[in-house]
Amino acid sequence: MTTVETDLQGVVEDAAAHLYVWALKDIPQDLRDALAAARLRETSVTGIRVLETIHRNVNIADRDGNLVCQDTGIAVYTCRVGEHFPLHPTRIYAALKTGTERATLEHPLRSNAVHTITRENTGPNTGYRLPIVHWEFVPDWDGLDVKCVPKGSGSENMSFLKMCVPADGVKGIKRFVLDSIVGAGGKPCPPGIVGVGIGGSADYAMYLAKEAITRPIGTRNADPIVAQLEDELLELLNQTGIGPMGLGGDVTVLQCHIEHADTHMTLNPVAVNYQCWAARRASAHVSAGGDVDFDREA
Ligand code: SF4
């Protein structure tokens, strides 16, 4: 039993080391398609130029096997853990941390992690409570899905939370999302994905907003009421005229994704988490026996 657990920890560590570098270099096809579609519908000359520069940037990264952006971000992982997966989450976390460190040292990657007060570097993209892991536990399953989402600071700095009141309703939610994105302007390197978290509590709404940006581009919330709000916000956000890199144009965002939770009768929390055009992500599916299936599109 001990041997199996040790091997599985090594498998998850290897997977994390691969995912972090892979995500930084090879963006998913849905993102490539969304950027290509944005180029076709943009009418501003400057906006077209920006989108063509992004296109050239991605092609050069492909050709040279290099990163799509210099900001290697903070490593954020989302883990779906089956209840019968034979490695405890504490060991999964240890594997993700060591894998992140190995990727940073072996590639090598820029190390961004610092102590939040002293600003001293804390290690190879790890530190106290870094990397960040979101957990979901799945009944009647023995597998593990790990998704690595390196999160650039330019877009993470453009995160916003408002405790609307129920009387603000859906109008209040829309107004806050629009105000947030208009206020952010070009800072989060648009066009990207606007992640919105609604409901739950203050902390959980922001957690949900981060979950929303990890979804494949253009997927819709399973709840049709929420999905309709995603469509409406996407249209409104692209009427702001902020455009690529904030220099004006038709394409301000590639998508708007919303995750929601039920909430207290007197609460109406709204959180916004922006993901830049370099919306990097890569996944691995790990079986209980240690087989790994890498998946760029999940
Ligand atoms: S926000 Fe995104 S595209 Fe802009 S510098 Fe950071 S990682 Fe790069």
Side-chain angles (χ1 to χ4, degrees), residues 202-232:
D203 58 325
Y204 203 65
M206 190 54 83
Y207 179 92
L208 291 170
K210 178 59 60 60
E211 286 283 298
I213 59 137
T214 70
R215 281 169 27 196
I217 295 187
T219 48
R220 283 287 170 258
N221 192 293
D223 183 326
I225 299 171
V226 181
Q228 189 187 331
L229 186 56
E230 289 176 326
D231 287 337
E232 289 173 13

Side-chain angles (χ1 to χ4, degrees), residues 68-73 150-156 187-190 245 275-280:
V68 294
C69 182
Q70 44 73 37
D71 185 356
T72 50
K151 191 64 172 61
S153 62
S155 56
E156 189 67 11
K187 288 181 195 158
C189 296
M245 290 296 160
Q275 178 65 307
C276 57
W277 73 262
R280 301 159 293 186

Side-chain angles (χ1 to χ4, degrees), residues 84-203:
H84 302 302
F85 186 68
L87 187 69
H88 192 275
T90 55
R91 296 286 148 216
I92 296 173
Y93 187 81
L96 297 178
K97 191 161 191 162
T98 312
T100 304
E101 289 172 346
R102 276 182 39 204
T104 304
L105 295 170
E106 289 167 12
H107 187 272
L109 302 171
R110 189 178 84 186
S111 182
N112 307 309
V114 297
H115 184 284
T116 201
I117 292 177
T118 66
R119 313 309 289 180
E120 278 178 22
N121 197 280
T122 54
N125 279 317
T126 55
Y128 179 58
R129 294 179 168 161
L130 284 181
I132 292 164
V133 182
H134 289 210
W135 299 99
E136 185 190 341
F137 298 98
V138 185
D140 302 322
W141 187 47
D142 64 357
L144 166 71
D145 291 339
V146 182
K147 185 183 292 190
C148 178
V149 183
K151 191 64 172 61
S153 62
S155 56
E156 189 67 11
N157 272 328
M158 295 299 102
S159 303
F160 307 95
L161 172 71
K162 182 170 183 185
M163 301 306 285
C164 289
V165 295
D168 293 329
V170 178
K171 269 190 186 162
I173 293 172
K174 287 185 188 170
R175 189 177 306 124
F176 179 63
V177 174
L178 282 165
D179 285 350
S180 299
I181 298 308
V182 169
K187 288 181 195 158
C189 296
I193 305 167
V194 175
V196 180
I198 51 176
S201 54
D203 58 325

